[in-house]
Amino acid sequence: MSWVHPAWLARLGRLERPGRPGRLGGDAGAVLRLDPGCGLGAEAYTISRAGGVTTVVAADEAGLMYGSFHALRLGDGDLAAETHAPAKARRVVQHWDNVFVHPVMGQVERGYSGGSVFWEDGALTGNLDRVGDYARLLASTGINLVSVNNVNVHAGEARLLTERIGEVAVLAERFRPYHIRVLLSVSFASPMVLGGLDTADPGDKRVRAWWAAAARRVYARIPDFGGFVVKADSEGQPGPYAYGRTHADGANMLAAALAPFGGEVYWRAFVYNHRQDWRDRSTDRARAAYEHFAPLDGQFADNVVVQVKHGPIDFQVREPVSPVLLGMPATRLAVELQATQEYTGQQRHLCYLPPLWTSVLSTVADHVDAVVTVSNVGEDAYWTGHPLAQANLYAAGRLAWDPALDPGAVLDEWISLTFPEAARETLHALMDRSWCVYEQYTAPLGVGFMVHPGDHYGPDVDGYEYSRWGTYHFADRDGVGVDRTRATGTGFTGQYPAPWRDEYESLATCPDELLLFFHHVPYRHVLRSGLTVIQHIYDTHFAGAAAVTAMRRRWAELAPELVGAELHERVRERLAEQERSAVEWRDQINTYFLRKSGVPDAHGRRIF
Amino acid sequence: MSWVHPAWLARLGRLERPGRPGRLGGDAGAVLRLDPGCGLGAEAYTISRAGGVTTVVAADEAGLMYGSFHALRLGDGDLAAETHAPAKARRVVQHWDNVFVHPVMGQVERGYSGGSVFWEDGALTGNLDRVGDYARLLASTGINLVSVNNVNVHAGEARLLTERIGEVAVLAERFRPYHIRVLLSVSFASPMVLGGLDTADPGDKRVRAWWAAAARRVYARIPDFGGFVVKADSEGQPGPYAYGRTHADGANMLAAALAPFGGEVYWRAFVYNHRQDWRDRSTDRARAAYEHFAPLDGQFADNVVVQVKHGPIDFQVREPVSPVLLGMPATRLAVELQATQEYTGQQRHLCYLPPLWTSVLSTVADHVDAVVTVSNVGEDAYWTGHPLAQANLYAAGRLAWDPALDPGAVLDEWISLTFPEAARETLHALMDRSWCVYEQYTAPLGVGFMVHPGDHYGPDVDGYEYSRWGTYHFADRDGVGVDRTRATGTGFTGQYPAPWRDEYESLATCPDELLLFFHHVPYRHVLRSGLTVIQHIYDTHFAGAAAVTAMRRRWAELAPELVGAELHERVRERLAEQERSAVEWRDQINTYFLRKSGVPDAHGRRIF
């Protein structure tokens, strides 16, 4: 039911509403003290333990709650007083859940854990208790904002803002005890779709009035409503461009409607030409977000958060940090991470993502006001399809609270809370390097997008090569990669501040793992690792698939009763599929590049 | 509404039931004489014209009908008596229409003309008059058998055989006046799905009894019922292999049930491993049908027709003739053609197919007892989506009646019946070579399957290269094509009798247009045409796309009022899409092979 170890689940359950002053529910060994004068900020707490009694002090109920969850994470022994405060006030999980089952995307877009926890075939879920469990689960990781519907707002979903706001209010009631506020994805065209106006132009006062009234009605039902999430002028969604307005114009209009009530707008920067002609080499999708947004720096209202995917393309296994996150100092920014494993094995593959996330956060944490993670949760009994994918959700919250946490330490924390000690070593063996392993057997050296079009699962090297999506690798018989230099390519490197603009520009300093993202090189180009590109491709693909085989074997050696026979079997099945798929990746990628380059494997291994 | 010229449509309409003895309805200039003693065989007729009076004589009503349709095709002037008899007694159109809309395939599988003429969202069509029009339309071409549902028989469709047979009877009533008998596609698993048995084993007497009773019930409702169409052990459809039985065992069981009533079984030979591993070079899909069926020659009952796709793969723009059609002398065979343009532009591209069909029929006509064509008809106002695609349906009937007809003459006949004289030259200019043009800009030299997976529209050179469907081109930096020789390849050439087995085996004698179907050759291999393979690819793709541009321009020069403004506009739209798509094909194919081969175009044209 959760990642929670049965023992911890029982304790968590007894908390009822964690963070209420008094004794930690049912646990005689803890005291929670609410002290508005203690000098701590919002949500912060001090925790200590002496003589077997844990004490949590905070200036608000949220702080007490986070402190009591912390208490549950503690091991034995005394603890000198420690103060913890969230690094970011906005710690967000966003759902891409549809209310109505979408004919192509299903109940949850890019969802790999069954149906939605919120919506069921057009209606609000009948299982609100599970929403409550989910709220507690998110709160225990530190999440304090959740959006409850897909950023692609279809016609039916648009009505959540108006006549169906009562259903959102019901969800908000379940989240409120856990100090989580609800966000709603809205359609920019709402004044037309819902309001009967003939325009959604931010410059039209009827439009502004409509949004103001809409916001007022929302807050009448949900006084602590968090705000709107907006995908505008992106992949077919409506937006301000239709009226010759900027994204700042559009976002600020919504912000003005929400400001009186303390709400905020999460305005996504995922804007690019999704009808590109593959023959057009002058357009580079990587440049798009920066080109659309950086010129607007300083123009967004205070209660707008521009929400930026962590890389310039789309949640690939390896991308450089988006230059938008480094290039808008006068704008509130959110970095968007993806727990749902759209491009990283779809929860059929084990891929512990925090090493990727912290590689991003180590660069951008000081530039952003919010960490947003796209949820990987569904109605699946294990919440996340792959039971071990729960660790990604857990870490999403923990890293939003403290981006400096070590991913291995967070994993260890999750293991402690979830499994018995005897399983720890096995889980680390499977999970610690699983992101690197996934990278090894899939698209090499940062080149990205060699997945099967549409469903994004499994290899298809040329699947996007002649498509309209702007995601190309340009492999020919001589070499591979995308020249994004200023000297000879698309100039994307120029969007970065120093030192990255030069580090990425030069073949001599560009990191190996991003080489093909920034450069088109011959197959015999020698990496900083000393290997040629082609041999690196062969080696990593053989190594990656072999590592999955080792993971599968290692899991088989774990006694099922340690983790429960059902969970053990579920993981076993997924690892078997991961091994099949990794071998398929290995063979397709290696065959593709052998056929193209003609360079044999130095070690004479079998390539088809 | 049909391919029929307005004037002819009016005359055809006045026929009411063509073929009734007496005067040609409403047309004082014709006499129809039924003379059972005239010495003519079934369906045959003698036609003559003198002094402005056309006389048709036949031994049966069907012959009079075909003769009266012939009369409508006549020009002016006297005609010495001619006798016409069908070359094949079985002239079949088969529909891939679903009763219930399929979630992926829609109402009509591989249908490009809107919904079904027979079924609408689970129910029998409410427009039975249109079924009557369609019957007349088919009869006027010579078709005398029609199947009314998809060969992929889903659960709902299976019930047409039993509780919904009444609806089939309603359709049969509409076809009967036109001497067309109805066929039904049935599920081999019917005894289980419909009959509640625990097996469909042909060796089980309960199963045989179930089929006998089912056939009896069908004939009680439809005394002239034609028989069953069966896709068994093919692409997931159930079949006799599940019980260790052969296709002959399966087909003969159904034949025995139908024999007392004069019915026949059309048993499809489209059987292959559709879960092939692309890494497995020992399996060749081209070999499959022959391997499954040729050993059974002589074992099929007399009222079984083994129905064989014209080529060994699947309706590609160019394939050799299926060796099954040349290798089962002791079996009744049907050749299966495809009017619905699954792989030939889906009725968005203009592609007059009879030149392809007669290239097949010239070889196999003497070996087959039936010509089967998969319908391209739907609820579209022009019947076939692309108005000019009607010509394919027209020719399907005419070539089944007489496979020796010249495709250009058949086209001319259709033009005469459909359009005014002033449009004739334009239509020939667009249509005569349209199949060759389509071949030019798509997969080269017989290699096939460079289409987008799933929907089969548009280019995707590697789309099937690493898939489970057994359709590969094996292009690498040195060359392209499938080695199917006995000497070094899959041995497929050995399935042919002389002279083909040697003609295809040798690079020196293999026809250029089939070279890559049979051989893997270097890009600089010189064709019999004198060009290298790579230059041939470039040249044909530039030429094909240019030809489509010329077609588009030629059509624009035709005065809309000559063909009707709506039809003119529909064709204009389709030609615009064909041009866009042809350019896309040209650029993807040329770019793919330039990137792989590194050989520049001898004429320096732009390749991306």
Side-chain angles (χ1 to χ4, degrees), chain A residues 279 465 477 587 595 597, chain B residues 279 465 477 587 595 597:
Chain A
R279 291 163 288 208
E465 191 59 13
R477 66 188 267 121
D587 291 341
R595 285 189 189 178
S597 72
Chain B
R279 290 163 288 210
E465 190 60 13
R477 64 188 268 123
D587 291 340
R595 286 190 188 178
S597 72

Side-chain angles (χ1 to χ4, degrees), chain B residues 209-224:
Chain B
W210 189 89
W211 279 109
R216 203 159 48 236
R217 284 192 302 267
V218 169
Y219 278 92
R221 300 295 295 268
I222 311 170
D224 60 348

Side-chain angles (χ1 to χ4, degrees), chain B residues 513-590:
Chain B
E513 66 270 17
L514 289 171
L515 185 72
L516 302 184
F517 191 95
F518 286 107
H519 296 274
H520 186 92
V521 299
Y523 291 115
R524 294 186 191 271
H525 172 82
V526 178
L527 296 167
R528 297 165 75 185
S529 71
L531 289 170
T532 61
V533 165
I534 189 71
Q535 194 58 44
H536 172 94
I537 291 174
Y538 297 151
D539 287 357
T540 52
H541 285 78
F542 282 111
V548 177
T549 298
M551 287 158 63
R552 197 248 310 148
R553 288 181 179 152
R554 181 73 186 247
W555 184 257
E557 290 164 8
L558 186 72
E561 56 272 22
L562 271 180
V563 295
E566 273 185 43
L567 184 146
H568 191 276
E569 172 59 15
R570 174 78 74 96
V571 174
R572 188 200 63 74
E573 276 172 17
R574 305 255 155 168
L575 285 168
E577 163 58 17
Q578 184 173 5
E579 185 180 28
R580 184 209 63 76
S581 179
V583 168
E584 175 76 21
W585 271 101
R586 176 195 73 191
D587 291 340
Q588 277 201 33
I589 297 264
N590 284 347

Side-chain angles (χ1 to χ4, degrees), chain A residues 527-564:
Chain A
L527 295 167
R528 297 164 76 184
S529 72
L531 289 170
T532 61
V533 165
I534 188 72
Q535 193 59 43
H536 171 93
I537 291 173
Y538 297 150
D539 286 356
T540 51
H541 285 77
F542 282 111
V548 176
T549 298
M551 288 159 63
R552 197 247 312 143
R553 288 181 179 152
R554 181 74 187 248
W555 184 257
E557 290 164 7
L558 185 73
E561 56 272 22
L562 271 180
V563 294

Side-chain angles (χ1 to χ4, degrees), chain B residues 461-477:
Chain B
V461 182
D462 271 5
Y464 279 94
E465 190 60 13
Y466 301 93
S467 78
R468 62 187 173 90
W469 297 98
T471 50
Y472 314 114
H473 55 66
F474 301 119
D476 61 20
R477 64 188 268 123

Side-chain angles (χ1 to χ4, degrees), chain A residues 491-560:
Chain A
F492 171 66
T493 58
Q495 291 185 346
Y496 285 90
W500 296 284
R501 54 188 290 115
D502 299 317
E503 181 182 331
Y504 293 149
E505 176 79 8
S506 163
L507 265 179
T509 53
C510 184
D512 280 354
E513 66 269 18
L514 289 171
L515 184 73
L516 302 183
F517 192 94
F518 286 105
H519 297 273
H520 186 91
V521 299
Y523 292 114
R524 295 188 193 271
H525 172 81
V526 178
L527 295 167
R528 297 164 76 184
S529 72
L531 289 170
T532 61
V533 165
I534 188 72
Q535 193 59 43
H536 171 93
I537 291 173
Y538 297 150
D539 286 356
T540 51
H541 285 77
F542 282 111
V548 176
T549 298
M551 288 159 63
R552 197 247 312 143
R553 288 181 179 152
R554 181 74 187 248
W555 184 257
E557 290 164 7
L558 185 73

Side-chain angles (χ1 to χ4, degrees), chain A residues 277-279 281 460 462-463 465-467 473-478 583-584 586-588 591-592 594-599 606 608, chain B residues 277-279 281 460 462-463 465-467 473-478 583-584 586-588 591-592 594-599 606 608:
Chain A
D277 189 322
W278 62 270
R279 291 163 288 208
R281 295 289 280 262
D460 189 342
D462 271 5
E465 191 59 13
Y466 302 92
S467 78
H473 55 65
F474 301 117
D476 62 19
R477 66 188 267 121
D478 301 315
V583 168
E584 176 74 21
R586 176 194 73 192
D587 291 341
Q588 278 201 34
T591 298
Y592 181 96
L594 175 63
R595 285 189 189 178
K596 245 181 180 154
S597 72
V599 181
R606 184 166 191 202
F608 294 87
Chain B
D277 189 322
W278 61 271
R279 290 163 288 210
R281 296 289 281 261
D460 188 344
D462 271 5
E465 190 60 13
Y466 301 93
S467 78
H473 55 66
F474 301 119
D476 61 20
R477 64 188 268 123
D478 301 316
V583 168
E584 175 76 21
R586 176 195 73 191
D587 291 340
Q588 277 201 33
T591 298
Y592 181 96
L594 174 62
R595 286 190 188 178
K596 243 178 182 157
S597 72
V599 181
R606 183 166 191 203
F608 293 87

Side-chain angles (χ1 to χ4, degrees), chain B residues 13 29 38 57 61 73-74 78 95 132 170 186 211 219 252 266 287 342 381 409 420 468 496 534 569 578 592:
Chain B
C38 67
V57 181
E61 287 203 7
R73 293 196 293 266
L74 287 180
D78 284 1
H95 282 255
V170 169
V186 299
W211 279 109
Y219 278 92
N252 292 347
Y266 289 78
R287 298 176 51 127
E342 177 177 358
R468 62 187 173 90
Y496 286 90
I534 189 71
E569 172 59 15
Q578 184 173 5
Y592 181 96

